[in-house]
Amino acid sequence: EMFTENQIEQDHQGAVAAPTPAAPAVPNGFAAIALHAVLHRALADAGYTTPTDVQARAITPALAGRDLRVSSSTGSGKTASFVLPALQGVLDVRASSERRERGTVYGPRVLVLTPTRELAIQVAKATDTYGRHVQGLRVATVVGGVPYGAQLKAMRGPLDVLIATPGRLIDHVKSGKLVLDNVAMLVLDEADRMLDMGFIDDIRFIAECIPKTRQTMMYSATFAGNVGRLASELLKSDAQTIAVTSHTDTHEHIEQRLHWADDNKHKQALLDHLLTTREVDQALVFTSTQRDADWLADRLADMGHAVASLHGGLPQGRRNHVLQGLRSRKLRVLVATDVAARGIDVPTISHVINFGLPMKAEAYVHRIGRTGRAGRQGL
Ligand code: AMP
């Protein structure tokens, strides 16, 4: 059910990577960063030549073992900024050829916490991409909504990187199926969102299970209020603060328009009209509730649109299937709720339509950031 990295990579880097299999002629901006050769190779494979702002600023201190408080959003390249140091840590341990007894559960070296299943899968894919030349790299994902069996199997063996949503992770820790004694690096991705979803006590519990000697990296759109307080609990006092703005903050590539509608019927007619225009490559339509998402998707399907709904009420298999349909372009329109749309990274989404308004300004920023990606224009 997992998507393969290739489908995304083709969309993003096909044009760059295809013609020359040899080393890139352009000077590689990553060369200045002290990463293992196999990681540099994976970056070259991905067609990356220049670190993004957050990568340029976070990777080196992370490699030096510093705790980090990073404010940045999706689209900034933040995933690589923690995955690369994480993988370097895994390689360093390998080099010191630490002995491992068969049959003992050691648990992961790196733990990444994410608010949603989708984001966890996204991070796992990035880990596979950047870790593709790390021999025998063991990555597992533990998220809610999928059967326990496969997850338990993945956790029984030796593990390098574990990517998890807090709720399900706690189940495994409490049942004794997973130990966190060997976690040397803890990453909290989209910490503000995790707190919005009520995970604060779960995060505290998990952090308590991990040795104090760990390195902690916290990523969040904001460090105001509770997130800031949690950061001061979890991070060492000499943690480095890094604030970056990305195109999802500045919206350079995103044009925003406001359409007035007389009533609900008019709004629906307007939506149908917008979706019918040729400029729409793929569109993401937001509703406020799961019920509205299903209802609207049904309605648009009746009108002949290639459409599906995506929300947290759907089983994980179905959600993966829908996202796959979007990537493979079988679907042109996705009707989604905020939670489900988190972490969607499909560069061909040309339009984001706020059919139901978001409850928070921050949700709006996240919504519109699903378009205008990978240097494209979005509306
Ligand atoms: P993220 O903010 O981590 O979700 O990354 C946003 C997108 O940027 C992803 O599709 C990455 O594959 C891509 N990306 C990350 N780092 C780079 C880079 N240095 N050069 C080009 N693309 C990148």
Side-chain angles (χ1 to χ4, degrees), residues 5 8-9 12-13 30 43 47-52 55 73-80 122 130 345 373-374:
E5 185 59 30
I8 295 224
E9 291 304 303
H12 281 213
Q13 278 96 29
F30 282 101
L43 289 168
Y48 298 174
T49 53
T50 316
T52 66
Q55 291 162 6
S73 49
T74 310
S76 60
K78 69 180 164 75
T79 315
Q122 208 86 47
Y130 306 132
D345 184 12
R373 294 174 83 80

Side-chain angles (χ1 to χ4, degrees), residues 304-326:
H305 293 286
V307 58
S309 65
L310 184 77
H311 57 68
L314 300 171
Q316 186 61 32
R318 170 76 193 153
R319 288 159 77 172
N320 292 346
H321 185 75
V322 166
L323 283 171
Q324 187 68 66
L326 194 69

Side-chain angles (χ1 to χ4, degrees), residues 82 110 118 127:
F82 60 80
V110 178
E118 278 72 22
T127 309

Side-chain angles (χ1 to χ4, degrees), residues 1-138:
E1 291 283 350
M2 291 277 233
F3 340 112
T4 64
E5 185 59 30
N6 292 344
Q7 275 140 341
I8 295 224
E9 291 304 303
Q10 276 163 12
D11 287 346
H12 281 213
Q13 278 96 29
V16 186
T20 40
V26 273
N28 193 320
F30 282 101
I33 302 177
L35 291 166
H36 195 285
V38 295
L39 301 179
H40 280 298
R41 187 137 61 89
L43 289 168
D45 290 349
Y48 298 174
T49 53
T50 316
T52 66
D53 195 12
V54 67
Q55 291 162 6
R57 293 167 65 191
I59 296 176
T60 299
L63 290 173
R66 291 288 293 271
D67 278 8
L68 298 184
R69 183 192 288 106
V70 186
S71 42
S72 70
S73 49
T74 310
S76 60
K78 69 180 164 75
T79 315
S81 79
F82 60 80
V83 168
L84 290 166
L87 292 173
Q88 180 65 45
V90 169
L91 287 159
D92 288 344
V93 173
R94 296 267 164 92
S96 72
S97 69
E98 167 201 57
R99 272 202 172 277
R100 299 208 146 203
E101 300 291 330
R102 274 179 74 92
T104 311
V105 178
Y106 288 91
R109 184 184 193 283
V110 178
L111 175 64
V112 182
L113 295 177
T114 71
T116 64
R117 306 180 256 203
E118 278 72 22
L119 190 62
I121 290 165
Q122 208 86 47
V123 172
K125 275 194 305 165
T127 309
D128 287 344
T129 302
Y130 306 132
R132 60 187 292 187
H133 300 301
V134 179
Q135 287 227 320
L137 179 69
R138 294 148 306 193

